[in-house]
Amino acid sequence: GAVVSQHPSWVICKSGTSVKIECRSLDFQATTMFWYRQFPKQSLMLMATSNEGSKATYEQGVEKDKFLINHASLTLSTLTVTSAHPEDSSFYICSASPGQGATYEQYFGPGTRLTVT
Amino acid sequence: GESVGLHLPTLSVQEGDNSIINCAYSNSASDYFIWYKQESGKGPQFIIDIRSNMDKRQGQRVTVLLNKTVKHLSLQIAATQPGDSAVYFCAENIRSGNKLVFGAGTILRVKS
């Protein structure tokens, strides 16, 4: 149980285009979903927290107009990287939680490798 | 604050030995701690967690110790196996923000 999937697993796009990444909780309802970014040999950095049906809460320094997050249902959240640039190339990881906030266990997806050329 | 590491520390152990991975956390208000294992190109995998009202918790082959006085967390892996080779992250839940903050990570290499 508690499986989280991400799609695509990897994507290559040209600079200036937009890319959408999906995060799904397959066997539970996720009240809260989190989006992280991880650069090579670095830790996971929280980008934003989203609760179903409400606007995402972005961490300081993360541009909400560039990283659009939609959490329209209890099993799906999407992250859209708009007007991607090479510096946005990274490993994007989502996690889903059945409760509110991080005190409930987070189940992580397998990640999406984004390369912007 | 959030931890970022450009050069992850590495712990090399012989297969069968015990491993101890350490983590210093930043916020005395944190009330929940988790250890994750991350293999190359994959998402983090939950290992074990501990709440701030405890100082020790044991799982299968793993033990987490929490010292709130010095804000230190450790993960002990018994009889380390090659499959344990990965990057290990501690994470703390900062109560006020109700979000997880990850530590810098430690690379564990198991030599056969």
Side-chain angles (χ1 to χ4, degrees), chain A residues 6-82:
Chain A
Q6 283 184 240
H7 178 80
S9 55
W10 61 270
V11 57
I12 302 172
C13 71
K14 291 187 176 180
S15 188
T17 62
S18 296
V19 174
K20 181 184 283 189
I21 302 170
E22 292 185 349
C23 176
R24 292 183 187 272
S25 56
L26 299 185
D27 50 6
F28 68 99
Q29 293 188 325
T31 307
T32 309
M33 285 185 168
F34 303 84
W35 286 96
Y36 296 84
R37 181 167 50 182
Q38 185 178 31
F39 292 108
K41 298 192 188 303
Q42 294 191 24
S43 189
L44 282 76
M45 303 288 285
L46 180 64
M47 300 174 67
T49 303
S50 74
N51 293 300
E52 184 264 340
S54 59
K55 289 184 179 179
T57 302
Y58 289 82
E59 293 301 299
Q60 195 171 11
V62 178
E63 300 173 57
K64 63 179 181 181
D65 294 330
K66 180 169 181 62
F67 298 99
L68 302 179
I69 291 172
N70 184 283
H71 191 166
S73 78
L74 284 171
T75 59
L76 173 65
S77 176
T78 60
L79 167 69
T80 301
V81 183
T82 62

Side-chain angles (χ1 to χ4, degrees), chain A residues 36 38 41-46 59 91 93 100-103 105-106 108-110, chain B residues 2 4-6 8 36 38 41-44 46 51 89 93 98-100 102-103:
Chain A
Y36 296 84
Q38 185 178 31
K41 298 192 188 303
Q42 294 191 24
S43 189
L44 282 76
M45 303 288 285
L46 180 64
E59 293 301 299
F91 195 49
I93 306 171
Q100 289 277 355
T103 49
E105 189 168 328
Q106 292 185 31
F108 283 82
Chain B
E2 297 184 0
V4 175
L6 291 178
L8 300 180
Y36 290 97
Q38 187 180 29
K42 297 183 180 179
F46 172 89
R51 296 200 178 270
F89 294 97
N93 175 57
N98 219 20
K99 60 184 182 184
L100 286 180
F102 280 75

Side-chain angles (χ1 to χ4, degrees), chain A residues 38 41-43, chain B residues 5 7-13 19-24 35-39 47 72-75 77 84-90 102-109:
Chain A
Q38 185 178 31
K41 298 192 188 303
Q42 294 191 24
S43 189
Chain B
H7 300 285
L8 300 180
T10 300
L11 174 66
S12 292
V13 300
S19 303
I20 300 176
I21 301 171
N22 296 303
C23 176
W35 279 100
Y36 290 97
K37 172 187 180 184
Q38 187 180 29
E39 296 173 313
I47 301 173
H72 184 268
L73 195 65
S74 69
L75 175 70
I77 304 174
D84 295 327
S85 295
V87 180
Y88 289 80
F89 294 97
C90 67
F102 280 75
T106 297
I107 299 171
L108 175 65
R109 289 206 176 105

Side-chain angles (χ1 to χ4, degrees), chain B residues 65-78:
Chain B
L65 298 177
L66 174 63
N67 185 329
K68 293 183 289 293
T69 304
V70 295
K71 292 189 284 187
H72 184 268
L73 195 65
S74 69
L75 175 70
Q76 301 177 1
I77 304 174

